[in-house]
Amino acid sequence: MAGASMKSIKNRIASVNNTKQITNAMYLVASSKLRKAKQAADESSEYFNTMYETIVEISVNTKGVNSEFLKERELKNRCHIIVAGDRGLAGGYNINVFKEAEKYLGVTKDYVITVGKKSYDRYSKMDGVEVIDSIESAEDYSYSDIQRITNKVMEMFLNEEIDEVLFTYTKFNSALSQEAKVIKVLPLVFDTPLEYGGERYKEIQEELDPDIYISEEIIKEREERRRKEDEESMLLVNKIKAKSVDSRSKVKYLPSPQKVLEFLIPTYISGILNGGIVESYASEQGARRTAMESATDNANEMIQNLELSYNRARQSAVTQEITEISGGVEALK
């Protein structure tokens, strides 16, 4: 019996050790990729943030400019550009992106442009969502892919096929910290919070239904959560607007705000998409590196515990054999 138990433990040790070798190899690969991805993210993040802040500032300072991209329409159709990973085993990276993106699904007709294999796998099979284009890999793509997506969303917006474009990506804070975010790309109107879909939309529909009872305590909790979400979504915009009030008289757009805006919009959309994909890829590698490091540490701990169990089983077997030998000797006397 003890022999069978010891063999089982040895098999488990071998199995866990094989898994540890795989997770450690993935940790080393992710670490190598992260160094390059982090450098690319650091180089693009300043351009990404400056471009977004600039376009928000221009939209605040160009009231009265006649551009379709500055007109907010009734929200009937939305386009979501969603960046996820090319593979799994990256902790909560992919699921966090999907949870954030899906807060805004379901309130309108939803079109999706996917970036990354995991994003395509999820939304190509989701009911109520139409995938209209995709970039297969967040790691291996070309700038022509970005330009194709930019031209498509601009054309669809001008043709009134979509009324809003949202971009979901993962902001790279550090190798240990990543944050899924949703930002509005079009129209260039940033004065109101984004209209939620998903669970928040369902909650509001429940509250409007006279046949569903919801306690005042739950309603207060929901309202407080929504208020915080709206404040967070407007934090950057309010900061830029406050800064632009002081600098508005100093800002001049040559040859005209209209011409500057027409030139900037394609560059802005391409820059935002490219910067977001670069940050998302760095975030994926950081999340995978952390997940594989944790998996390797857990495997080492399991191996230690199994080795301890094996030694105890072997000691028990040796003790039993000694006891049997001693009993046999006593019986011969």
Side-chain angles (χ1 to χ4, degrees), residues 79-321:
C79 179
H80 307 260
I81 304 171
I82 303 172
V83 185
D86 294 335
R87 55 188 68 86
L89 298 176
Y93 169 75
N94 287 313
I95 196 64
N96 289 338
V97 171
F98 298 147
K99 281 171 65 177
E100 190 66 23
E102 286 160 23
K103 288 180 181 178
Y104 304 92
L105 291 174
V107 71
T108 65
K109 167 68 177 174
D110 293 304
Y111 299 98
V112 172
I113 296 173
T114 63
V115 181
K117 293 176 183 175
K118 289 293 180 181
S119 182
Y120 180 80
D121 289 346
R122 185 176 183 88
Y123 294 106
S124 62
K125 300 171 185 174
M126 182 176 284
D127 292 336
V129 168
E130 182 181 344
V131 176
I132 57 173
D133 206 336
S134 65
I135 296 176
E136 185 176 348
S137 173
E139 178 181 4
D140 184 21
Y141 68 96
S142 65
Y143 196 70
S144 62
D145 293 323
I146 301 291
Q147 291 176 318
R148 186 185 76 246
I149 300 299
T150 298
N151 294 334
K152 179 182 278 290
V153 297
M154 287 179 66
E155 182 181 352
M156 290 182 73
F157 187 85
L158 289 173
N159 292 336
E160 299 189 10
E161 297 174 53
I162 54 175
D163 305 303
E164 189 174 73
V165 180
L166 302 183
F167 180 46
T168 306
Y169 73 104
T170 305
K171 180 176 173 57
F172 179 78
N173 297 323
S174 70
L176 299 175
S177 173
Q178 303 88 31
E179 180 186 4
K181 295 177 73 70
V182 175
I183 60 174
K184 183 196 286 188
V185 177
L186 290 174
L188 305 179
V189 179
F190 303 96
D191 294 332
T192 55
L194 296 176
E195 187 175 336
Y196 278 77
E199 289 301 317
R200 178 161 169 175
Y201 178 72
K202 291 176 185 175
E203 288 177 0
I204 293 172
Q205 296 306 305
E206 285 178 357
E207 292 164 14
L208 295 174
D209 190 336
D211 297 328
I212 299 177
Y213 171 75
I214 304 172
S215 69
E216 289 186 12
E217 185 178 345
I218 292 176
I219 289 176
K220 285 180 180 178
E221 286 179 3
R222 289 179 176 180
E223 288 176 347
E224 180 63 19
R225 188 184 73 241
R226 291 170 198 159
R227 184 186 64 79
K228 289 181 179 178
E229 287 175 344
D230 290 343
E231 285 180 356
E232 288 175 5
S233 70
M234 294 295 291
L235 195 62
L236 174 61
V237 174
N238 289 334
K239 177 183 174 184
I240 295 169
K241 286 170 72 176
K243 184 176 74 172
S244 70
V245 168
D246 298 330
S247 61
R248 187 171 297 175
S249 59
K250 303 174 186 176
V251 177
K252 291 184 179 180
Y253 302 102
L254 299 174
S256 67
Q258 182 95 22
K259 293 293 184 183
V260 172
L261 203 61
E262 288 173 358
F263 171 78
L264 271 184
I265 287 172
T267 307
Y268 149 71
I269 297 175
S270 298
I272 289 293
L273 297 185
N274 188 63
I277 294 172
V278 168
E279 289 218 16
S280 294
Y281 179 67
S283 298
E284 180 187 1
Q285 298 310 317
R288 180 169 292 112
R289 178 180 179 272
T290 301
M292 292 302 100
E293 182 179 27
S294 177
T296 303
D297 291 343
N298 290 338
N300 283 327
E301 185 178 347
M302 285 184 67
I303 289 170
Q304 288 178 357
N305 292 335
L306 287 169
E307 285 177 344
L308 183 61
S309 298
Y310 177 80
N311 290 335
R312 283 174 177 167
R314 187 174 67 174
Q315 186 177 17
S316 176
V318 170
T319 302
Q320 184 177 351
E321 288 177 6

